[in-house]
Amino acid sequence: MGDPTIDADVGLGTAYERLAVYALLDRWFADAGLRSALEGPVDGMAGMPGLHLIGLARQGTNVTVALPDTRALEIVRRTYRWLGIEERLTTLCTADPLEIPGQFDLVLTYNALPLVEDWRSYLTRLTALAARSLLVSVTNPFSYGVKLRRMQRTLEPRRTPELFDHPSTRDAELRPTLDRLGTIEESAFVDCPWWPDLFVPTGQTLWQGTLGRLPGLGALVRNRLAARARPGRFTYAPERFPLFPGQPGHDELTKALARHPVFDQRGAWLGAAFGHHRAHRMRVSAPKAPA
């Protein structure tokens, strides 16, 4: 919660991740007649938080974004304003689902479970806010990128827990909790490009983050890399958000992505191998007591 506010998306991979999430939400909910939706209050996106539902907002859904940081919420408001849909946005500054009033047709939690103190309790609280559907996104711990990252860590002097280490990313831990809260209607691997997810520090490209971790590279070399780093062509901010047709830079982004093979909706085997995330769409019910 005390991390610096992320005020820009960095890299083509982050842009593709957003587009993959928007496509999944369209596929699952575009025809569902959603009047209201909530995301947050904790967001594990490696980029600007609170922008996962903006595609549904463009289609008419009223969106509430809850985040614990006022600067992050201002970035959300600026992005909605830039796209001309600020009237469909409500923001709340909180990190606790218990402080969010009302219910919503859809509640979305994105890669947040490893970041909260008690992930099962957090999910239960979010489910109470969902009148119809809950979408839970977690890191896919079985992708080839995770395997590469595990090998990388054997060369590092300090090993800190990462998202894929968390028990909530494993079906054997997550599904019993989800089954208690409702019915899983569909699951999908999402964000499945050819490049691996190596969990580089937020704000760095895959190349920068990987170089910075190499043993023996040294702080001096890393500092020189940082000093020479300039905002890349695929760095996006609230007033430069070309994820949708008609926005400046959208055609350039589309052409750049067209040069890369991607594997979303290409079957479970490819999804498991390349997918950076797994998403579960649930129909919520009154929570059952744990067995």
Side-chain angles (χ1 to χ4, degrees):
M1 305 297 177
D3 293 342
T5 300
I6 300 165
D7 58 5
D9 289 348
V10 177
L12 190 64
T14 306
Y16 179 73
E17 179 178 346
R18 289 206 187 277
L19 289 171
V21 171
Y22 297 155
L24 179 72
L25 288 167
D26 278 350
R27 194 164 81 247
W28 281 356
F29 298 108
D31 298 325
L34 298 180
R35 294 170 298 174
S36 61
L38 165 74
E39 65 172 289
V42 178
D43 189 340
M45 177 73 181
M48 296 181 289
L51 297 174
H52 306 294
L53 294 175
I54 202 166
L56 293 182
R58 294 179 74 246
Q59 299 173 28
T61 301
N62 293 313
V63 168
T64 296
V65 176
L67 292 170
D69 178 41
T70 56
R71 285 191 60 214
L73 289 172
E74 178 56 28
I75 288 168
V76 171
R77 287 190 289 269
R78 284 168 52 195
T79 308
Y80 272 70
R81 189 180 308 132
W82 175 257
L83 295 175
I85 52 173
E86 191 179 17
E87 74 281 358
R88 297 190 191 127
L89 173 68
T90 300
T91 58
L92 294 170
C93 187
T94 182
D96 188 349
L98 291 177
E99 296 180 356
I100 301 172
Q103 282 194 314
F104 307 85
D105 291 338
L106 168 66
V107 173
L108 181 151
T109 178
Y110 194 83
N111 218 24
L113 302 185
L115 307 178
V116 299
E117 186 174 354
D118 182 339
W119 64 272
R120 291 182 176 88
S121 174
Y122 183 78
L123 274 178
T124 300
R125 293 176 180 184
L126 284 180
T127 302
L129 297 171
R132 290 168 52 184
S133 297
L134 175 71
L135 192 153
V136 179
S137 168
V138 295
T139 293
N140 170 24
F142 305 112
S143 72
Y144 89 99
V146 169
K147 293 179 175 61
L148 291 174
R149 178 66 193 128
R150 291 187 192 279
M151 288 189 288
Q152 271 187 343
R153 290 199 304 189
T154 64
L155 303 175
E156 297 173 2
R158 293 176 53 193
R159 180 180 302 181
T160 56
E162 301 190 49
L163 292 173
F164 54 80
D165 293 312
H166 196 267
S168 67
T169 66
R170 299 189 289 271
D171 271 3
E173 297 283 344
L174 178 62
R175 280 186 175 261
T177 298
L178 296 183
D179 289 340
R180 184 174 61 85
L181 297 173
T183 303
I184 298 175
E185 296 185 308
E186 192 169 357
S187 298
F189 292 100
V190 62
D191 185 18
C192 310
W194 71 265
W195 56 80
D197 188 354
L198 296 181
F199 303 89
V200 301
T202 299
Q204 295 185 13
T205 64
L206 185 65
W207 174 248
Q208 290 170 333
T210 301
L211 281 179
R213 285 168 165 164
L214 288 176
L217 187 61
L220 178 62
V221 176
R222 288 196 296 272
N223 290 339
R224 286 181 177 175
L225 280 172
R228 291 163 54 188
R230 285 179 270 177
R233 58 190 287 225
F234 301 117
T235 298
Y236 301 126
E239 286 76 35
R240 186 170 185 258
F241 197 76
L243 281 294
F244 301 105
Q247 293 299 312
H250 179 76
D251 290 344
E252 177 191 22
L253 174 60
T254 300
K255 289 177 183 176
L257 286 172
R259 293 193 286 268
H260 296 273
V262 296
F263 303 100
D264 286 80
Q265 300 186 63
R266 296 283 296 275
W269 188 87
L270 288 172
F274 291 94
H276 295 183
H277 300 90
R278 188 100 185 267
H280 303 283
R281 174 169 60 93
M282 295 182 53
R283 184 176 71 251
V284 300
S285 60
K288 298 184 277 288

